Structure formats: C-alpha cells, structure tokens
Amino acid sequence: MARASPYRPYHPEYHPTRWRAWLDFGTGALGDMGCHILDPAFWALELGSPRTVQATSTHFQPEVASQTFPRASIVRYEFPPAASGRR
C-alpha cells in the first residue's frame, strides 16, 4: 500500500527539479533515471532477475539525511547466466 506524504509548505529547495531527491516526492536518482540508463543493457544482455543486489550509499548533508535519498550510491547486481548463453 502506498504511503501518503505529510503536507509540506512550498520551499524553493523543492523546485524545479530537486523534488526528486526528497522521500516524500520522488525516488532518488536510481529510481528517477535508473530505468532509462539500465534498461537498454538489461534487454541487450537478456538478463533475468538478479541473484543478489548489494548497495552502499552516503549523504553529504547529514541534516536532511532522514528526509532525502542519498546523493551518491554504488549498487552491484549479480545475475545468473543468460538463458541464450550470450553473456
């Protein structure tokens, strides 16, 4: 079930594109652009679901870390061999 975000008054930090980084409004860089960047490789390599996913991240602004997605992350995906053997 989706969670409802609490009311927040307008703040210039949210607009025009920074809203994506806030937990109440967006999905962070990986959720925002990851589907566009990763999808071509996913389909070209005929990947299925990953066996494992390992992620680390950091915040450069600790004062808003509980309200925002990380500014930097490293995500490692491990996939089983492709069914076609192309990998």
Side-chain angles (χ1 to χ4, degrees), residues 28-66:
L30 187 59
D32 188 27
M33 293 304 297
C35 61
H36 305 290
I37 295 167
L38 300 173
D39 195 51
F42 178 87
W43 286 105
L45 295 173
E46 299 179 11
L47 300 174
S49 298
R51 283 186 192 155
T52 61
V53 178
Q54 180 183 11
T56 58
S57 63
T58 185
H59 273 285
F60 299 123
Q61 293 177 278
E63 64 276 7
V64 294
S66 66

